[in-house]
Amino acid sequence: MTASLLLRNVRPYAGPAVDMLIENGRITRIASGIEAPAGVAVEDGRGEIVIPGLVEAHTHLDKSLWGLPWYTNEVGPKLLDKIDNERENKKRLDIDPARQSARQSIQSSLMGSTHIRSHVDVDTEHGLWGVEGVMATRDGYRDIIDIELVAFPQSGLLRRPGTLELMDQAMKAGCEIVGGLDPCAIDRDPKGHLDAVFALCQTYGKPLDIHLHEPGEMGLFSTELIIERTRALGMKGKVTISHAFSLGAEPALVDPVIEQLAALDIAIMTTGPASRPAPPVKKLLAAGVRVCSGNDGIRDTWGPYGNADMLERAMFIGLRNNLRRDDELRLALDVCTTEGAKVMEIAGYGVAEGCNADFVILPGETVAEAIVTRSPKRRVVKRGKIVARDGVSIRTAP
Ligand SMILES: [Zn+2]
């Protein structure tokens, strides 16, 4: 075994200072005063904090406008306005999925993410253009980040004939997760939509991650249908509901649903949205529900916000859920790290001996301070190698 990196004087989770020895992409020793093996590169940790690699568990790599001219957003108020506007203008705006996903992946990596789950549009206008582009990035940038793809029927599944067949092709092509979208509000056929996406899961033996923006009782109804199918098909632990705004409804309606989510180990993804009802993160975690997070779309035709920073996302989770205590901010970080890793079923994740050497070194006295400060002075380690330093990646964006 060849030693590849010795990190001196770092503080995992802001604890006591230690050294970390990285060999063959893994953390092999954490102790104080580790003797440097011959020929090993030594990096001064300067007493900074180490956290595991940030997990971007929900984004859309195929359609960010990152690096393109500023897009003047004049889109209508409804969800369908945004969906149609994007699909109709994708080619005109030169949103090439391969180039744009590479740009966002580099940005994501230099902000400290080591894993991404990306939903990727599958529709009858663009076919598998998005899937092929993001797969090229997944393969071409494996040295700095791991990417998994969700085949995502953004424009609806049943309301646009031919989409289901394309979803099947996307799964055949190697997408890791089946996606879905608002079975009532967009497809207007909850039973048809859910039966179709769950059938794809069964055919390919893959998990489901479904966008559910539906509010209030409509969203809770769809959630119940998802719960029923998860139970009937033995898909415990294999389903994620993204956004789940309806879980922000009154507790009398939501609490019984949370119990069922916990019983079937159905995960929830929340961005901690400022403008929508949001799932109660602390209550979900306390009930044993896995809760992950993501930046969702970054600088796209849906909205101008985002810089791919999952530490900023941890802060948004904190703000949205009124998390103020240091132990609560740690929960927000867990949502953006370990919880996301559980949802993505990442093996060997964490900052401990034997884990993959995927982590971030960043300044701060405590974890809570690191979250609220969000220092750009981050060193990002992927597969045992420093892949970004102070906002500069080892890879150049196309
Ligand atoms: Zn999304």
Side-chain angles (χ1 to χ4, degrees):
M1 225 187 228
T2 49
S4 48
L5 182 65
L6 177 63
L7 264 178
R8 288 254 185 249
N9 188 25
V10 287
R11 295 182 303 125
Y13 283 109
V18 290
D19 297 343
M20 291 171 63
L21 183 62
I22 316 298
E23 294 171 298
N24 297 327
R26 287 187 185 278
I27 303 166
T28 49
R29 259 192 93 198
I30 299 179
S32 43
I34 297 176
E35 196 124 330
V40 69
V42 179
E43 176 83 11
D44 180 4
R46 306 189 293 251
E48 293 182 352
I49 296 174
V50 171
I51 57 170
L54 293 158
V55 178
E56 167 68 87
H58 185 118
T59 190
H60 295 262
L61 287 177
D62 55 317
K63 49 197 197 178
S64 172
L65 296 160
W66 199 272
L68 291 172
W70 185 256
Y71 171 72
T72 302
N73 190 323
E74 297 171 314
V75 74
K78 291 191 298 188
L79 192 59
L80 260 181
D81 296 333
K82 297 174 180 69
I83 290 171
D84 291 341
N85 172 61
E86 177 177 65
R87 193 186 57 253
E88 287 159 10
N89 289 296
K90 213 177 255 185
K91 284 256 161 74
R92 184 180 66 78
L93 292 169
D94 191 26
I95 308 176
D96 172 50
R99 186 209 316 118
Q100 295 312 112
S101 60
R103 287 178 178 174
Q104 188 183 322
S105 296
I106 290 170
Q107 174 66 18
S108 205
S109 162
L110 65 84
M111 297 308 271
S113 288
T114 52
H115 297 81
I116 295 178
R117 172 179 285 187
S118 176
H119 296 252
V120 185
D121 286 8
V122 173
D123 65 58
T124 51
E125 214 156 308
H126 303 293
L128 300 190
W129 191 38
V131 168
E132 286 156 5
V134 177
M135 281 183 175
T137 293
R138 178 189 65 185
D139 299 342
Y141 293 82
R142 224 181 267 280
D143 56 334
I144 61 166
I145 204 148
D146 283 307
I147 297 170
E148 70 175 18
L149 288 84
V150 185
F152 177 45
Q154 172 75 83
S155 292
L157 186 63
L158 305 178
R159 65 187 280 273
R160 292 174 62 91
T163 308
L164 185 56
E165 290 72 15
L166 287 167
M167 286 285 289
D168 187 81
Q169 285 177 29
M171 295 312 296
K172 250 190 209 104
C175 284
E176 286 93 347
I177 316 279
V178 176
L181 171 74
D182 296 339
C184 296
I186 297 292
D187 256 355
R188 297 167 172 265
D189 179 359
K191 188 178 177 304
H193 181 99
L194 291 172
D195 285 346
V197 294
F198 272 94
L200 277 175
C201 293
Q202 296 287 296
T203 302
Y204 292 95
K206 297 292 186 189
L208 177 71
D209 188 335
I210 181 166
H211 278 67
L212 195 60
H213 309 94
E214 295 166 359
E217 288 180 67
M218 187 202 281
L220 291 173
F221 170 68
S222 290
T223 304
E224 278 172 25
L225 297 185
I226 293 167
I227 288 169
E228 281 170 14
R229 282 158 181 76
T230 304
R231 185 184 292 119
L233 296 169
M235 282 183 60
K236 184 177 176 184
K238 296 292 174 190
V239 173
T240 303
I241 303 176
S242 280
H243 300 303
F245 295 147
S246 59
L247 296 182
E250 59 261 49
L253 294 175
V254 170
D255 288 356
V257 177
I258 291 180
E259 256 175 59
Q260 296 188 69
L261 294 174
L264 288 164
D265 196 12
I266 295 174
I268 299 298
M269 190 299 299
T270 180
T271 61
S275 59
R276 291 282 186 284
V281 166
K282 266 184 86 174
K283 187 187 260 188
L284 285 163
L285 289 171
V289 176
R290 290 170 298 155
V291 182
C292 62
S293 187
N295 285 300
D296 205 4
I298 291 165
R299 300 202 193 171
D300 57 17
T301 61
W302 292 63
Y305 300 107
N307 59 0
D309 184 6
M310 286 304 295
L311 216 50
E312 180 181 78
R313 191 53 54 183
M315 184 182 75
F316 290 155
I317 301 264
L319 287 168
R320 187 65 180 83
N321 290 274
N322 194 24
L323 309 180
R324 294 163 186 268
R325 295 165 49 105
D326 282 54
D327 54 357
E328 292 175 323
L329 265 81
R330 169 63 191 266
L331 282 182
L333 180 71
D334 288 347
V335 165
C336 298
T337 52
T338 49
E339 289 287 314
K342 282 192 230 161
V343 172
M344 287 178 60
E345 303 184 58
I346 302 167
Y349 178 88
V351 178
E353 288 180 359
C355 288
N356 301 331
D358 295 347
F359 53 83
V360 188
I361 310 163
L362 76 173
E365 186 183 337
T366 64
V367 164
E369 194 203 354
I371 293 171
V372 300
T373 308
R374 302 181 317 288
S375 168
K377 294 203 165 298
R378 304 176 193 183
R379 282 172 281 178
V380 185
V381 175
K382 180 68 184 172
R383 301 187 208 289
K385 201 170 138 189
I386 296 175
V387 295
R389 198 185 277 277
D390 301 341
V392 180
S393 175
I394 59 167
R395 299 294 302 266
T396 311

